[in-house]
Amino acid sequence: MKSRRKFLQHISAGVIPIAFGFTPESLLFNPDNSQNDKTLRVALMGLGSYANRVADAMKDSKRAKVVGVISGTPSKIPEWQKRFDIPDKNCYNYENFDAIKDNKDIDAVYIITPNAQHHNQCLRVAAAGKHVICEKPMAINAKEGREMVEACEKAGVKLLIGYRMHFEANTLEIVKMRNAGEFGDIKFFQGLSGFKIGDPNQWRLDPKLAGGGALMDIGIYAVNGTRYMVGEEPIWVTAQETKTDASKFREGVDETITFQLGFESGVVASCLSTYNMNNLDKFFLNGSKGFAEMQPSTGYGPIRSATHKGRLDMPHTTHQTTQMDEMAKIIFDNKVPIIPVDGKEGLKDIIILDAIYEAVRTGSKVDLNLT
């Protein structure tokens, strides 16, 4: 029996990919139904290198603005105040940020801290009644992810995950082509994600802060990319780990994992996650009528892409600028993104990460149920 994805692919060029959580309205029309120009006022939590990248990108945002900071290193705050004209009343530390509950100048908190801190910080932000934007991976395991989703639902606030690629032009064009049946029946996907990591003392190599190693940090791009490129949820996973430097990649920190995902339709995906190789960052999607490839596929850009019809290489805009404008529309205008970025979307990736680690540990195929 053909899968729902195959059935939908054969309907017409106006296919509706319900199977991956897309709605007809978002796919066929995806209107920019901005009801107003209300600005999303954001406090950044964690003032490291990526927070600086996000903040600088937001200078060009039309619907989002940095108005506050939350840091575990108070000495960083004055420089941020000067750069972004942030008043003292919008500055907090990790002990007192619950007080944002009474701050009417802050709409959302963007959590950009080590992975193991996301869960508790998300729960506290939700309890304060502020929308949560959380970097990926949203949590270090599915149990924590579920609790984050539940806490935000209970508080009546939105939980969005920092999936910047879900708004990237090349990515969206390939998804559109796939949904229109231009690649035919999808048969295979390859996702390669990794780099050679440097400083051995950084938090990414501390299992208590990172919750893992390369898979949590960079491999999640291949996991998430598999799902939005194939347009279907996997039903099983197998995985193998390779470690060449046990002193740098200690117990609980994976260096290199290869993993395979299977889908009900018969699609298979072969992926690599590593902290020990450069020149990766590649996606390849193959179908019965054509293909799409991206390299780089998830870097900060420009993204380079091509299909069997020729090069795409859509115009580049700073990913974080687009992400924050689109998230403002999701929060204020109830805009439905073509590829979801909500907490339930993030939870699916964490469930897969848990299953990959289990497959490594047991050497067995692990079944998945993401529906």
Side-chain angles (χ1 to χ4, degrees):
M1 180 180 295
K2 292 184 178 180
S3 70
R4 177 169 50 180
R5 180 186 59 77
K6 284 188 176 183
F7 171 74
L8 289 169
Q9 281 185 337
H10 286 106
I11 293 176
S12 69
V15 181
I16 301 172
I18 302 171
F20 194 55
F22 302 150
T23 65
E25 294 80 8
S26 67
L27 175 70
L28 298 180
F29 308 106
N30 193 32
D32 189 353
N33 289 328
S34 299
Q35 298 172 358
N36 52 58
D37 293 326
K38 188 173 181 181
T39 298
L40 181 66
R41 299 166 300 174
V42 180
L44 299 180
M45 180 183 294
L47 304 182
S49 60
Y50 191 69
N52 275 274
R53 182 179 291 274
V54 170
D56 287 339
M58 287 176 65
K59 292 176 181 177
D60 295 323
S61 292
K62 296 180 175 63
R63 296 286 304 274
K65 180 181 180 181
V66 176
V67 300
V69 289
I70 305 169
S71 178
T73 308
S75 60
K76 292 182 179 181
I77 292 179
E79 190 265 337
W80 277 75
Q81 287 186 270
K82 184 180 298 184
R83 283 169 60 196
F84 297 98
D85 193 25
I86 299 172
D88 290 342
K89 67 183 183 66
N90 289 359
C91 299
Y92 302 88
N93 58 47
Y94 290 167
E95 286 71 44
N96 69 8
F97 74 80
D98 307 272
I100 62 172
K101 180 178 182 178
D102 300 316
N103 192 327
K104 298 184 183 303
D105 294 336
I106 295 173
D107 301 309
V109 174
Y110 194 159
I111 299 173
I112 314 178
T113 56
N115 305 334
Q117 297 176 359
H118 293 175
H119 171 258
N120 178 260
Q121 291 167 343
C122 172
L123 267 55
R124 290 171 64 186
V125 172
K130 304 299 181 180
H131 299 295
V132 180
I133 303 170
C134 184
E135 258 312 301
K136 57 195 176 301
M138 67 180 291
I140 61 172
N141 57 55
K143 177 179 180 296
E144 288 191 356
R146 289 188 184 94
E147 290 174 354
M148 292 165 68
V149 171
E150 291 169 359
C152 289
E153 288 179 344
K154 180 179 179 181
V157 299
K158 292 188 184 295
L159 171 58
L160 305 178
I161 312 302
Y163 288 123
R164 57 187 169 81
M165 300 310 300
H166 292 202
F167 306 107
E168 194 277 324
N170 293 272
T171 302
L172 292 175
E173 182 63 21
I174 290 172
V175 168
K176 178 182 177 181
M177 292 177 67
R178 185 208 66 219
N179 291 333
E182 294 190 45
F183 305 127
D185 293 335
I186 302 303
K187 299 293 187 181
F188 175 76
F189 175 78
Q190 181 186 51
L192 307 178
S193 297
F195 60 92
K196 197 169 182 65
I197 200 166
D199 180 7
N201 298 313
Q202 62 181 284
W203 69 263
R204 289 176 178 81
L205 297 176
D206 181 345
K208 292 182 180 178
L209 290 175
L215 183 66
M216 296 292 287
D217 181 40
I218 191 71
I220 191 170
Y221 283 99
V223 170
N224 185 249
T226 300
R227 296 176 52 237
Y228 64 67
M229 292 289 280
V230 172
E232 189 180 350
E233 300 294 7
I235 60 173
W236 59 258
V237 62
T238 55
Q240 306 79 36
E241 181 179 10
T242 301
K243 188 172 291 192
T244 63
D245 188 344
S247 60
K248 187 173 186 178
F249 305 102
R250 49 189 161 153
E251 183 68 26
V253 180
D254 49 282
E255 174 188 328
T256 300
I257 292 179
T258 54
F259 58 95
Q260 304 77 44
L261 295 162
F263 299 79
E264 183 181 3
S265 64
V267 177
V268 290
S270 177
C271 300
L272 170 69
S273 165
T274 186
Y275 268 158
N276 198 33
M277 283 178 270
N278 291 323
N279 306 310
L280 294 174
D281 192 11
K282 179 179 180 179
F283 285 177
F284 177 75
L285 183 71
N286 200 29
S288 60
K289 295 181 180 178
F291 70 89
E293 60 182 355
M294 305 171 73
Q295 190 174 20
S297 57
T298 62
Y300 294 138
I303 300 301
R304 299 301 183 194
S305 61
T307 75
H308 58 288
K309 294 184 174 182
R311 297 215 59 87
L312 293 177
D313 293 345
M314 305 292 283
H316 172 69
T317 58
T318 303
H319 298 169
Q320 295 81 4
T321 303
T322 304
Q323 172 193 317
M324 296 309 298
D325 277 339
E326 291 301 307
M327 286 185 168
K329 295 171 187 176
I330 292 169
I331 289 172
F332 289 137
D333 308 336
N334 293 315
K335 183 176 180 180
V336 179
I338 292 174
I339 309 176
V341 293
D342 57 86
K344 291 180 180 179
E345 171 75 2
L347 176 58
K348 290 179 179 180
D349 285 338
I350 303 301
I351 292 171
I352 296 173
L353 294 183
D354 283 354
I356 292 172
Y357 282 127
E358 182 182 348
V360 167
R361 185 173 60 253
T362 64
S364 301
K365 179 188 288 186
V366 177
D367 291 332
L368 294 165
N369 183 6
L370 301 179
T371 57

